[in-house]
Amino acid sequence: MTECVFCDIIDGSIPGNVVYETEDVVAFLDANPVSRGHTLVVPKKHVEDIHGASGMEFLMDALVKVSDAVEEAFDPEGINIAQNNGEAAGQEVFHLHFHVTPIYEGDELEISYNRSELEDGSEIAEEISKYL
Ligand code: AMP
Ligand code: ZN
């Protein structure tokens, strides 16, 4: 056992409902699903969050594959892909993971942000761009 529950699933020391696995990535069912088929896509290498994911292009390929499979399996009305970074953003397990969450008819989606009108776009875009 390690201090990371996802590393424990990856190394087989605790069970997980694995749906997909490659050399780099694993996908298993979320233990507390939002909906039927809620799956987590997880790099095998332990990195805490998105800031450790440079070079992990395989994650997008796995997300597409798992989303396609969930679509085929359960024919949901839609699928959300979500990924939380930091406690303030709702992250509870500090091993990078993406949620693939099917949405079915009648599901109440509870994603609510207070949106505003973008006013200082060029200044904000410039601030981000200088680090890219
Ligand atoms: P997050 O809030 O984005 O960090 O999401 C962590 C997710 O991990 C939650 O949806 C939990 O239900 C899920 N989770 C925690 N422990 C396990 C486990 N042993 N197996 C599968 N999913 C888990
Ligand atoms: Zn880990």
Side-chain angles (χ1 to χ4, degrees):
M1 300 276 270
T2 69
E3 280 179 12
C4 172
V5 68
F6 288 176
C7 282
D8 289 344
I9 292 174
I10 290 161
D11 71 20
S13 38
I14 65 169
N17 295 105
V18 173
V19 301
Y20 179 65
E21 185 167 10
T22 70
E23 200 183 321
D24 300 312
V25 70
V26 64
F28 49 83
L29 297 185
D30 194 295
N32 307 104
V34 167
S35 62
R36 185 175 174 80
H38 181 176
T39 303
L40 301 174
V41 172
V42 185
K44 286 187 173 175
K45 182 179 174 197
H46 180 101
V47 297
E48 209 165 271
D49 58 24
I50 196 71
H51 306 298
S54 179
M56 292 186 173
E57 285 82 9
F58 56 82
L59 286 170
M60 180 55 86
D61 188 50
L63 280 166
V64 173
K65 280 199 165 76
V66 170
S67 300
D68 283 349
V70 166
E71 180 83 11
E72 288 292 326
F74 300 123
D75 195 24
E77 293 292 302
I79 295 176
N80 277 116
I81 308 289
Q83 195 273 311
N84 303 322
N85 298 283
E87 238 177 280
Q91 187 174 9
E92 288 177 2
V93 175
F94 289 84
H95 180 137
L96 176 65
H97 57 280
F98 291 75
H99 297 258
V100 176
T101 312
I103 306 296
Y104 300 98
E105 208 180 297
D107 282 354
E108 285 192 26
L109 203 54
E110 281 183 48
I111 301 173
S112 86
Y113 293 105
N114 289 324
R115 302 251 182 204
S116 60
E117 199 69 39
L118 181 63
E119 277 165 9
D120 40 5
S122 60
E123 196 187 306
I124 295 169
E126 203 178 306
E127 190 62 28
I128 297 170
S129 294
K130 72 182 184 204
Y131 296 102
L132 290 166

